[in-house]
């Protein structure tokens, strides 16, 4: 069975791999055998060191993904260094919180640019390479707010709903070309992104009470789903949004 999930000799480009969910995914993919191109605005030295410790290759690629101009140079640099991209994990993302009546255009644009616009053009740039080779796996990081409305995060909700839609559109266009496009929707995972919620005693208690698993997720909890969607085991899974949420959506 393990061969189904084996990623030996595969190259995975993971955005936002220095911390949180991106780091959890990069380490899980490396444990399954993949080499890691770690892209982000902060160097992923800790992740790169840990991947190398697992006996896999890992390199840092500096890229500020708030602007679409970073996309093609990033893909070109990874291809120059590794020669191929088998797996793309679009993980980098931000969140801005304010009541809808006060929400600014700057907070709208910043989130939509990083979480949705850059994600699409990174899918496009890596997708062209994958289509030419007839194979590839793209995993976009969605959210509970791909399915739900949330509160005080209008641009985040819009961006993550968009990630769900784009994942399905790209799967429709590329499934027959050998490229699988799927998404993971994490539940409440303890990272920098959710630090404000974790430290708000009331919100933290409300969240915990609603999670059937009875705990916040850990970035490592997302790794298994990423290995599945990156591996041969998921070859007939297309346009799926896989919730890894401790049961949140079931409640
Ligand atoms: P995190 O710890 O804040 O990590 C976000 C990552 O994205 C960091 O590596 C960050 O780099 C990177 N990033 C942000 N803006 C960037 C930019 N302009 N260019 C390059 N990299 C950039 O948060 P996380 O929770 O692991 O989030 C990872 C993904 O999961 C996001 O898409 C988030 O929306 C999604 N998600 C998280 C949760 C959760 O409960 N935590 C739930 C659902 C979905 P820096 O370290 O340099 O900022």
């Amino acid at each position: 069975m393990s061969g189904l999930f084996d990623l030996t000799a595969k190259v995975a480009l993971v955005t936002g791999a220095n911390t949180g969910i991106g780091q959890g995914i990069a380490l899980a993919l490396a444990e399954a055998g993949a080499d890691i191109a770690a892209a982000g605005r902060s160097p992923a030295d800790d992740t790169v060191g840990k991947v190398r410790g697992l006996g896999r290759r890992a390199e840092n690629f500096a890229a500020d993904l708030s602007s679409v101009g970073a996309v093609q140079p990033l893909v070109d640099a990874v291809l120059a260094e590794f020669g191929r991209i088998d797996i793309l994990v679009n993980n980098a993302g931000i969140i801005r919180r304010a009541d809808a009546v006060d929400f600014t255009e700057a907070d709208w644009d910043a989130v939509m640019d990083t979480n949705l616009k850059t994600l699409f053009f990174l899918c496009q740039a890596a997708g062209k390479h994958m289509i030419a080779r007839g194979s590839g796996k793209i995993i976009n990081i969605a959210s509970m707010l791909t399915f739900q409305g949330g509160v005080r995060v209008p641009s985040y909700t819009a961006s993550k709903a968009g990630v769900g839609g784009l994942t399905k559109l790209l799967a429709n266009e590329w499934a027959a070309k050998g490229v699988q496009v799927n998404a993971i929707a994490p539940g409440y995972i303890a990272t920098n992104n959710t630090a404000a919620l974790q430290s708000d005693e009331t919100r933290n208690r409300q969240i915990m009470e609603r999670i059937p698993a009875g705990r916040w997720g850990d970035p490592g909890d997302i790794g298994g789903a990423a290995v599945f969607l990156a591996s041969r085991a998921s070859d007939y899974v297309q346009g799926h949004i896989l919730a890894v949420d401790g049961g949140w959506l079931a409640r």
Side-chain angles (χ1 to χ4, degrees):
M1 278 295 283
S2 66
L4 273 178
F5 300 93
D6 185 14
L7 299 179
T8 304
K10 302 289 186 190
V11 174
L13 167 54
V14 183
T15 68
N18 62 315
T19 184
I21 290 170
Q23 181 177 50
I25 289 174
L27 296 180
L29 297 178
E31 212 175 302
D35 294 330
I36 304 295
R41 61 185 173 187
S42 309
D45 294 338
D46 183 44
T47 307
V48 165
K50 286 177 172 153
V51 170
R52 289 178 182 164
L54 291 167
R56 309 298 169 199
R57 193 169 165 212
E59 305 293 342
N60 269 312
F61 293 86
D64 180 351
L65 300 170
S66 62
S67 154
V68 85
V71 165
Q72 197 59 51
L74 170 61
V75 168
D76 291 345
V78 175
L79 289 176
E81 190 69 33
F82 283 92
R84 56 198 282 176
I85 299 171
D86 300 291
I87 301 155
L88 167 65
V89 181
N90 269 311
N91 165 78
I94 57 171
I95 193 163
R96 298 279 169 85
R97 298 177 196 278
D99 291 344
V101 287
D102 299 323
F103 211 76
T104 65
E105 186 177 356
D107 281 346
W108 179 270
D109 287 344
V111 173
M112 293 297 274
D113 283 351
T114 300
N115 293 13
L116 191 59
K117 185 174 179 182
T118 297
L119 175 142
F120 171 70
F121 285 101
L122 203 39
C123 286
Q124 184 190 64
K128 281 181 188 167
H129 162 75
M130 291 172 175
I131 288 166
R133 295 177 55 227
S135 73
K137 302 271 191 177
I138 296 178
I139 303 167
N140 294 323
I141 302 304
S143 164
M144 293 296 96
L145 300 190
T146 302
F147 309 105
Q148 303 175 318
V151 283
R152 304 189 72 249
V153 287
S155 56
Y156 188 80
T157 300
S159 72
K160 293 300 185 177
V163 168
L166 279 178
T167 297
K168 293 176 196 173
L169 173 138
L170 294 172
N172 290 337
E173 293 199 16
W174 296 349
K177 301 178 193 296
V179 178
Q180 277 89 50
V181 187
N182 291 290
I184 296 171
Y188 282 81
I189 311 297
T191 67
N192 300 333
N193 173 295
T194 50
L197 294 179
Q198 294 168 68
S199 58
D200 178 332
E201 210 175 301
T202 309
R203 288 285 283 131
N204 189 36
R205 181 176 40 75
Q206 290 168 340
I207 288 166
M208 287 276 280
E209 282 171 358
R210 199 188 178 285
I211 301 174
R215 65 171 177 87
W216 281 75
D218 176 85
D221 286 321
I222 308 299
V227 170
F228 168 63
L229 292 176
S231 69
R232 187 162 71 78
S234 62
D235 274 356
Y236 201 58
V237 179
Q238 320 273 359
H240 185 65
I241 302 165
L242 177 54
V244 183
D245 64 351
W248 175 274
L249 289 178
R251 176 145 282 178

